[in-house]
Amino acid sequence: MSHVFPRHTKADLPTAVAGEGCYLIDAAGKRYFDGSGGAAVSCLGHSDADVIRAVQEQVGKLAFAHTGFMTSGPAEALADLLVSHAPGELDRVYFVSGGSEATEAAIKLARQYHLERGEPQRRHLIARRQSYHGNTLGALAAGGNEWRRQQFDPLLIGVSHIAPCYEYVDRAEGESSYDYGQRVADELETEILRLGPETVMAFMAEPVVGATSGAVPAVAGYFKRIREICDKYGVLLILDEVMCGMGRTGHLFACEADGVAPDILCIAKGLGAGYQPIGAMLCTKAIYQAIKQGSGFFQHGHTYIGHPVATAAGLAVVSALLERGLVQRSADMGDRLQAALVERFGAHPHVGDIRGRGLFRGVELVEDRETKAPFDPSLGLAAKIKKAAFQAGLICYPMSGTRDGRNGDHILLAPPFIITEEQITEVVDKLERAVSQSLPKG
């Protein structure tokens, strides 16, 4: 009998014993293609020799040094590498252990930045509906997925949520893609004015929405308008690239595709590629200087921030992404994956949209292609597809609640960047089988 507290108490899970390239292997020897990289984590695949070596060497030299007393070489080197490739004025890196910690740190830094500058009235955070920013209470409050929030709502801080940029569902008939993006971006200005411009501290969004909506990118011009609005009212722009960053969308930083740079940026998942738990919050020089020239102390922290072994792994991962050309490979293989999905599912009567960037792709399922009506949530379609795909030897990331936290189903794909053309065919074949087995008959 297991004493592990699992994610779901009624699940009977196989035991993973090995990883090899794009595959995980269980105790019975069955191989599963890791088509979602766990949760968009395993960008390098499993058992990468260079990263394993970096972790082993660092453990042999220094496993832990608390950042209240010392810094470490791997942390300094990884920060330098990230900043040298970061967009805009991002200049400082605060290492944490995962995505929720990164977004929590970002929210608290935004608040303290305004305090240090003599604007204590700035306290409101604005985010978007159907977003996901993590599972700790602050991050959960920022997220706009009603299903995840519901039972914890009495514990959450108040956060305003405006419309997502979700063109497939929300763009009006006759409205251009650009005009749609400007319209929903302008909701930010409306909400800032409603709350009082002097009271808003930050706006948080994912450049490409991941788990809750299934790889939904913003339309052209949307984030540039968001940046303009934030600048106009002195509101910080926080971009959450925990899932979509680190090459996943074909850019090292996902916001590069939108031509904008944030004031604060959050990364995790692909930063450690699963070899160590690590995340990071990056901020601009101006934000850092406000703290340095003020109290000098960011009132935040965790025991394992800047962990030497985790940052050594992150350094090896980011170096591999850059030196092996894997960010460009993500873009190229992502185009091939998109083409394969469109060829196989583009005319499927129950596939409404196939979208994404790089190796971050979403397939949205609908009951009716013409009306875009989703399936009845009582069918549990996403869960059925996940189970059928797993049985077929494919790990993918189907989710329900695509539209509003309850209605809608999508499948998220985020395979390792080392995926081959033959493996793309394997993924699409197994996914087609799982969808066919799971759709309601008749």
Side-chain angles (χ1 to χ4, degrees), residues 41-43 269-277 317:
V41 172
S42 299
C43 54
K269 296 187 185 293
L271 177 60
Y275 290 87
Q276 287 285 292
V317 169

Side-chain angles (χ1 to χ4, degrees), residues 28-377:
K30 182 175 178 178
R31 295 167 66 87
Y32 305 81
F33 187 91
D34 193 359
S36 61
V41 172
S42 299
C43 54
L44 297 183
H46 305 279
S47 302
D48 186 281
D50 290 346
V51 183
I52 292 170
R53 187 180 309 112
V55 170
Q56 291 173 334
E57 290 177 356
Q58 185 57 45
V59 169
K61 290 185 290 187
L62 172 67
F64 177 68
H66 195 283
T67 53
F69 304 97
M70 293 181 175
T71 185
S72 71
E76 296 291 338
L78 179 54
D80 289 346
L81 183 60
L82 289 170
V83 167
S84 70
H85 291 275
E89 301 298 317
L90 295 173
D91 186 65
R92 292 281 174 162
V93 184
Y94 190 95
F95 291 112
V96 292
S97 297
S100 296
E101 286 187 16
T103 53
E104 288 277 343
I107 294 167
K108 291 173 77 173
L109 181 61
R111 169 62 179 165
Q112 187 169 337
Y113 166 75
H114 292 299
L115 285 173
E116 301 277 3
R117 296 176 69 250
E119 295 187 87
Q121 73 279 7
R122 287 193 183 265
R123 62 191 184 277
H124 290 302
L125 176 65
I126 303 173
R128 302 189 297 184
R129 296 189 294 275
Q130 278 305 94
S131 58
Y132 180 65
H133 299 295
N135 254 333
T136 50
L137 290 177
L140 189 62
N145 182 269
E146 288 302 320
W147 176 78
R148 285 173 168 81
R149 293 168 52 94
Q150 188 174 20
Q151 64 178 329
F152 303 107
D153 193 65
L155 308 179
L156 303 180
I157 60 170
V159 175
S160 298
H161 292 94
I162 63 172
C165 190
Y166 187 7
E167 183 182 19
Y168 169 66
V169 172
D170 292 337
R171 179 164 63 88
E173 187 175 351
E175 186 178 34
S176 73
S177 180
Y178 178 82
D179 287 344
Y180 162 70
Q182 299 300 292
R183 172 169 64 82
V184 290
D186 284 342
E187 285 195 22
L188 174 59
E189 184 169 39
T190 300
E191 184 62 12
I192 290 171
L193 293 173
R194 186 189 74 82
L195 293 168
E198 72 287 350
T199 71
V200 180
M201 66 179 188
F203 172 68
M204 177 182 281
E206 300 159 273
V208 182
V209 182
T212 53
S213 293
V216 178
V219 300
Y222 170 83
F223 272 110
K224 288 189 176 180
R225 177 60 183 145
I226 290 290
R227 177 77 268 183
E228 290 173 359
I229 294 168
C230 288
D231 290 343
K232 180 178 179 180
Y233 296 103
V235 172
L236 296 180
L237 175 58
I238 303 172
L239 291 183
D240 175 357
E241 298 196 4
V242 166
M243 190 172 249
C244 63
M246 294 292 96
R248 175 56 60 189
T249 61
H251 299 268
L252 188 63
F253 294 94
C255 61
E256 292 172 321
D258 298 290
V260 298
D263 301 295
I264 301 174
L265 185 141
C266 302
I267 52 177
K269 296 187 185 293
L271 177 60
Y275 290 87
Q276 287 285 292
I278 185 172
M281 175 195 69
L282 287 72
C283 73
T284 61
K285 184 178 297 184
I287 293 175
Y288 180 79
Q289 288 298 321
I291 306 295
K292 182 179 180 180
Q293 294 168 9
S295 68
F297 174 63
F298 178 31
Q299 194 173 330
H300 186 59
H302 299 278
T303 299
Y304 289 115
I305 63 175
H307 193 279
V309 182
T311 50
L315 179 61
V317 169
V318 177
S319 297
L321 293 176
L322 297 170
E323 293 167 7
R324 300 179 198 169
L326 290 174
V327 176
Q328 185 59 50
R329 183 177 176 82
S330 173
D332 295 341
M333 298 307 287
D335 288 342
R336 295 180 187 186
L337 176 58
Q338 176 75 6
L341 289 168
V342 170
E343 181 180 3
R344 194 69 59 91
F345 295 106
H348 193 289
H350 295 298
V351 172
D353 194 28
I354 304 169
R355 56 191 176 235
R357 290 178 184 159
L359 283 171
F360 199 46
R361 298 287 164 175
V363 177
E364 183 163 346
L365 300 154
V366 292
E367 186 173 31
D368 188 309
R369 277 172 62 100
E370 294 301 315
T371 65
K372 303 180 182 178
F375 283 98
D376 187 322

